[in-house]
Amino acid sequence: MSTLVFRRANAGDRTELIRFWKQAYLASFPYLRKRHPIEGMDDFYDSMVEKGNEFYIAHDGTVVGMCAVLEGHIQHLYVKTEYQGKGVGTSLLRHVFRSYPSEALFLYVYQQNTEAIELYERLGFRITGDHVSKFEKEPAFKMERAVGCNPPDQPSIDASLVRRLVDT
């Protein structure tokens, strides 16, 4: 039996989290013309941890979602393809909101990533500016969420996902 758990990642999650991150990155953003080399992601992860990034994960025996945050900047959010649209990203972000209750949050999202933009807007983020990503040179939006922004409560996880996880 599996259940979906949302928690802060710890040092023991490193190998699995990096493996998930590489797979999710390669499966995401088909519109990118230029990508970061995945061979350097282990060192990139370590440098992010050294800088103070906190990683949050959704876990059901393996990592199915991750979010990285540093000083109010949500730097990465990935959800395994088959879990997308089922509330995993929403639940990860709500976990982050509870961890940063008195801090405004911001992120950058590719303009072509319309599903993510819709998710962020539902959770109280607003587009506050245009941006061009440094490495990929892709157009992006800066989105911000004010302190104390409380969007309407909705179920965090799709009930069918919970049943499926409990039944397996």
Side-chain angles (χ1 to χ4, degrees), residues 4 8 30 37 39 47 54 61 66 73 78 86 95 97 100-101 103 110 114 127 130-131 149 151-152 154:
L4 204 52
R8 182 178 288 171
E39 298 80 28
S47 73
E54 294 181 344
M66 64 149 294
H73 180 188
Y78 291 101
K86 299 187 183 304
H95 194 80
F97 299 160
Y100 294 87
E103 200 166 329
Y110 296 119
T114 55
I127 294 171
D130 290 320
H131 179 74
C149 175
Q154 330 172 15

Side-chain angles (χ1 to χ4, degrees), residues 21-39:
W21 192 2
K22 288 177 181 179
Q23 291 168 350
Y25 179 74
L26 290 174
S28 300
F29 320 120
Y31 43 81
L32 289 182
R33 295 176 298 238
K34 183 178 181 184
R35 291 179 179 266
H36 288 279
I38 63 165
E39 298 80 28

